[in-house]
Each structure stands twice: as structure tokens, then as C-alpha cells.
Amino acid sequence: MTSSGISGITPEEQAELDKALYDALNPLASALRQRASGLPEDRMWAADPVDVALSVLAAWKVVDAEVKRLTAIAAGTAGSYGASYEQLGAVWGITRQGARKKWPDAVTRPAGVALELWGGTAELTPSSGGWGWTGKGADGAGGPADGDERYATREEAAAHAGAFLKEHARTQP
């Protein structure tokens, strides 16, 4: 699977999926229908067609809730391995914001990282646009040196922060 999503399934795959879903649904629909109607198994489907159709719809609602639960687990698993909301949204055919709303806890943000070098300190911070940093050199200068730039990786942000701290090290008298 690519990050751009899953292509459509073939007609044969669609037929197999339909059969598998109906095979899974039938026992559930029968159990729900029997409880709702109170009729014996041989008569539970011999009823008003609206009641029968509503029993099937009730079974699909149970399946829908379970699919949503399993989907959230899959999104959380992908997020725990480093997938972004942008990637989750692309696979699901929705925006990054839509994915964040659909699965709010799926992607965990890595914690910030503190650097102490050459007498100064810097804090590396993650964001949806990558990594940034803020720091204070030993000479009192504040940074980031290049404004509020975002870097693709934590290591790249650390390199820029480290260069800033080295440049602003306290000189010996």
C-alpha cells in the first residue's frame, strides 16, 4: 500500500467482500431478530417486511460500530509507527484535519528535546510542519537564528540549534 491510498477493488474482490459480509451478518441478524420478535426460529422472519428489514438494518448498525472501532485501532497502530494525520487522511480519502477529527488520539506527538551545549540551552519542539527550536546562547542571545523555520527532522533542527549555541558560546576573558 502506498501513502496515496488504496486503489479501487476489482469486481471479483467486491463480490467476495459482499459474500463475506453477508455471511458474517446473517447469524447476527438472526440473533437480533429472534430477540426482538420473541418468535421461534422457524417463524421469526415471517413478519411484516418493514420489521424484517429493520432487523437487518439493526444488524448492520452493530457491524458498522465494530468496523469504526477496528478502524480506530488500525489508525492508532499506524500512528504509533509514525504515520501522520496527513497520511491517515490520504488513505481514508479525507483531509489531515478530517483525520485528526476522526481519530483524535491516533497520532502521538514526540516530546520536545532539550539541548545544553557551549553554556547555552535549546528546546527542540515537534509540530505538524516538522521540528523547530528556540534557544538562548551562553552570551544571552536568543534564537532560532533563522527565524521560526521548520525542519523536516529532529536531527536537522538539532544541528541548527547546536550551530546557534556554538556561535553564541560565552567567550573566555
Side-chain angles (χ1 to χ4, degrees):
M1 174 184 1
T2 67
S3 62
S4 63
I6 300 173
S7 61
I9 63 176
T10 67
E12 294 79 17
E13 291 166 332
Q14 182 68 54
E16 288 176 28
L17 178 60
D18 288 351
K19 181 181 179 335
L21 289 172
Y22 282 116
D23 287 349
L25 182 75
N26 283 333
L28 178 61
S30 292
L32 292 175
R33 178 72 190 140
Q34 192 166 24
R35 280 196 297 272
S37 70
L39 296 172
E41 190 173 340
D42 63 333
R43 292 192 38 235
M44 68 180 175
W45 293 107
D48 181 348
V50 171
D51 290 338
V52 170
L54 290 174
S55 294
V56 172
L57 181 61
W60 280 118
K61 180 180 184 223
V62 171
V63 170
D64 182 56
E66 183 63 7
V67 167
K68 286 177 181 170
R69 185 184 74 80
L70 293 173
T71 300
I73 290 170
T77 300
S80 74
Y81 285 118
S84 67
Y85 279 115
E86 184 176 351
Q87 290 171 307
L88 294 175
V91 166
W92 203 252
I94 58 178
T95 65
R96 173 182 52 82
Q97 295 89 346
R100 180 175 284 130
K101 184 176 181 181
K102 187 170 194 61
W103 305 297
D105 299 322
V107 175
T108 55
R109 297 251 181 253
V113 177
L115 295 178
E116 292 184 26
L117 300 168
W118 295 286
T121 60
E123 178 78 19
L124 307 177
T125 53
S127 74
S128 61
W131 285 82
W133 65 273
T134 57
K136 187 167 190 165
D139 65 357
D146 301 319
D148 191 26
E149 289 192 36
R150 303 318 273 166
Y151 302 97
T153 65
R154 179 175 62 186
E155 292 76 14
E156 186 180 3
H160 286 270
F164 170 84
L165 294 174
K166 184 176 182 183
E167 182 180 324
H168 294 280
R170 182 171 292 138
T171 57
Q172 299 296 324

